[in-house]
Amino acid sequence: MANFLFPDRLTARFAAPDDAGTPSHSGHPSSPRESRHFIQQIIDDDLKTGRVTGDVVVRFPPEPNGYPHIGHAKAIVLNFSLAKEYGGRCHLRFDDTNPETEDMEYVRAMKRDIRWLGYEWGENEFYASDYFEQLYDLAERLIEEGLAYVDSQTGEEIRATRGTVTEAGTESPYRNRTVQENLDLFRGMRAGQFNDGEHVLRARIDMASPNMLMRDPVIYRIKKASHYRRGDEWPIYPLYDFAHPLSDAIEGITHSLCTLEFDVHRPLYDWLVEHLFEDPRPHQYESARLNLDYTVMSKRKLLQLVREGRVAGWDDPRMPTLSGMRRRGYTPAAIRRFCELIGVAKADNRVDVALLEYAVRDDLNDKARRVMCVLDPLKVVLTNFPDGKSEMLHAGYWPHDIGHEGARQVPLTREIVIERSDFMMDPPSRFHRLSPGAEVRLRHAYIIRCDDVITDDEGQVTELRCSVDYDTRSGSDSSKKVKGTVHWVSASEGIETTVRLYDRLFNVPNPDDVEEGQSFVDHLNPDSLREVTAVIEPSTADDEPETWYQFERQGYFYLDPVAFEEGKRVWNRTVTLRDSWGKQQEPAAPAKPKGQKQAVPAQPAEPLDPMAELDEEEHSMAIELQTLYALSPEDAAFLATRDDERVFFKEAAAASNTPVAIANWLIHELRPLLSQEQMETPPTTAQHFAALVALHADGTLSSRMAREVLEEMIASGEGPDTIVERKGMRQVSDEEALSGVVDEVLSNHPDRVEAYRGGKKGLIGFFMGQVMQKTDGSANPQVVRALLQERLD
RNA sequence: UGCCCUAUAGCUCAAUUGGCAGAGCGCCUGACUCUGGAUCAGGAGGUUCCAGGUUCGAAUCCUGGUAGGGCAACCA
């Protein structure tokens, strides 16, 4: 694989380790405050509450069995920028526990690409395979504690007895071997006394768990294969579910971030770490993986594309691999920016390629010099330009709005080429490029007029004859204006060069979404690579391979390093410019009819009967609650199906004469504050609870205050009176007293008052909030609302 | 069919944790321009999945649904 020839030079030129991981543009996501994604919120909270006291330590844990792609980049950027943000560290750990697929080649590729992205892990380079000894010892400890056993069933037997998603599994006949027996067997495994598949080590958890991963998962298997780092030292290898959490714990990782599909593994992660390590211990959090339009991301599928020759290799510029993107001309800064733009969340997503392209253009805009290159040449003869003359024109490399200096000379000759698409025989209105009789400016040169069109026998345009207006030389103060400017290159002094025009690899947004009997390769875009012979201006003749240019009016291009090494000059189109003209030409995609994206099934016309789902016993219970306490069917059904809540309710109802309010507060306020276990033995008494509800009912406390008191009651176990007394809480319902606050709020925000009167009625909530804040939540909201409405309407 | 996760603008995400539903990208219009780019100015676009409920007030809390995704390798 002779593809990776320039990583270091590229890094030197474009990677920016200094600002790596910090937003390079201010004000992206939203909100006046910088908005924090859920992982940041968790870490903030851990730091605030002291759950994490030392450094924040995260890790990026690739398996070295494939080339890293843009999906890995998302994880790399997330982890390394988190480490930077919190002043902690990010470990690079190779999760190399499967000897059959892993290779040093992939380790090298991974390290090279992470560095290229602009991140450095320093001394924190680790390998799960370095922990084999420790992991083995931990497995023995598990055995000693009766938490693991050697199972001698075959693979098929293990699979068959695991049960299904709806049925529990059955326990292995070997599940109750003695500790000594297990230890002997496991040591025998380690010593190489058995063949592949003869035994495995299983965690002893629960064959009936609703989570299949907890049904005695296999944690060690015999595999007499040579490991790329440990050679033949080990006949047994730990599995991911065992090695990963424990490697995290060994390294002192605080936050272990992974993708959504691992959320089912979290109970096992916790089980292992809790049994084998002391606090503080690592915690796993999951976020959504990246899906990108018009490409595939799975290593298996990328490998298939390479193997079947659908692409030129792992670093084919159409591939979503980092090596492919690098060779295409994408920059580390652009990829980092993209990864920041897509955010971190738990909802499955599919990201529009336009966002990636935006990030690339935005970065290249002030990094790539402008030159002219004609991709589809049409010959133009300047009839009033002397034959044999070559006029050197001064041409700035940068547009005015980019503050960079630099220019080159561009030769103008009698024969030039322009873009075929810049001429139209019969142009629509709004087309302001060349057509018979029309005028256009040659970029950096003169205005020309098309006097004659030469066509061949088939009517194909083969040549244009134009005349130059010598008063309009670029930079002169000619007053003549034309609408259009076109790029051009001297036909005699321009250089022929190969340009590769890349387009999306697949022609559907989600190639994985295939019909029966089809495969994702059926969606391959046959035009994803178009190679043309272009004419480029001579100033580029000596450029070295890490050169980016913007070919004016075309896009950004990058001199392919692989072809260069083979002695060829090939320009890869990194990304086109945004093209509003091309869009106008295509019929605009019809706007999706409203409501189509999520067809909401018609709901039954009448509300569902809350009693409908109850069994016979629950049903009669609910009826009883309704007749006895006058509860609504909803509340009655809720209590009928929940024993702990019902017991608490009856006790509280007995201590008061407002059962409906008791049920209401129990269901909507108390219950959400408690866990299932707390509900069994509530941290507050039914009598206290009833007293609180009474305080609300008689107007002493507003609902907001009552909620606050309730939280306090749960935390301290005190009665409501004690808390109310201590805090001096009392709802204020006096209109006169509240009028003052209301008037103050309104006069503090004249603009909002005006907006409200102008129709922005939602602002009532803002005013309410202000008043509640000023009164420390003690204002009677009904009264406040009435006062506000009175003043505003 | 069991368990878990998720649902806010076309896309990706916010919403100070119960108080004005916003941003970036994309799209449209206009201005400017020697890149139909960039830039600048403006605009459209919302049943916050649905139905009930609690609350003065719900995207946010409660109940019940719906849809999408994940989980039954001795892979990671």
Side-chain angles (χ1 to χ4, degrees), chain A residues 779-793:
Chain A
N780 180 323
Q782 281 105 323
V783 177
V784 173
R785 181 168 287 254
L787 288 171
L788 278 169
Q789 229 117 39
E790 191 184 304
R791 304 267 194 296
L792 287 164
D793 294 329

Side-chain angles (χ1 to χ4, degrees), chain A residues 687-704:
Chain A
Q687 289 70 29
H688 281 160
F689 181 68
L692 173 75
V693 175
L695 285 172
H696 175 248
D698 70 12
T700 308
L701 297 178
S702 66
S703 25
R704 170 184 292 235

Side-chain angles (χ1 to χ4, degrees), chain A residues 337-372:
Chain A
R337 178 88 197 288
F338 170 72
C339 290
E340 286 160 10
L341 288 170
I342 57 179
V344 178
K346 297 191 76 162
D348 293 317
N349 61 72
R350 173 161 297 279
V351 175
D352 193 334
V353 278
L355 194 58
L356 215 207
E357 296 184 345
Y358 161 78
V360 173
R361 287 188 198 108
D362 194 49
D363 185 48
L364 252 19
N365 184 34
D366 77 338
K367 287 180 177 165
R369 291 173 296 169
R370 273 63 166 171
V371 295
M372 294 191 286

Side-chain angles (χ1 to χ4, degrees), chain A residues 591-638:
Chain A
K592 273 190 206 160
K594 271 174 113 179
Q596 189 184 300
K597 81 160 183 178
Q598 213 143 20
V600 176
Q603 289 291 321
E606 76 267 30
L608 291 158
D609 179 4
M611 312 280 270
E613 296 291 304
L614 305 186
D615 65 29
E616 209 169 306
E617 194 185 334
E618 293 167 338
H619 195 267
S620 56
M621 181 88 71
I623 298 289
E624 185 193 319
L625 287 165
Q626 278 189 79
T627 49
L628 220 52
Y629 300 104
L631 299 186
S632 68
E634 287 83 5
D635 290 1
F638 180 95

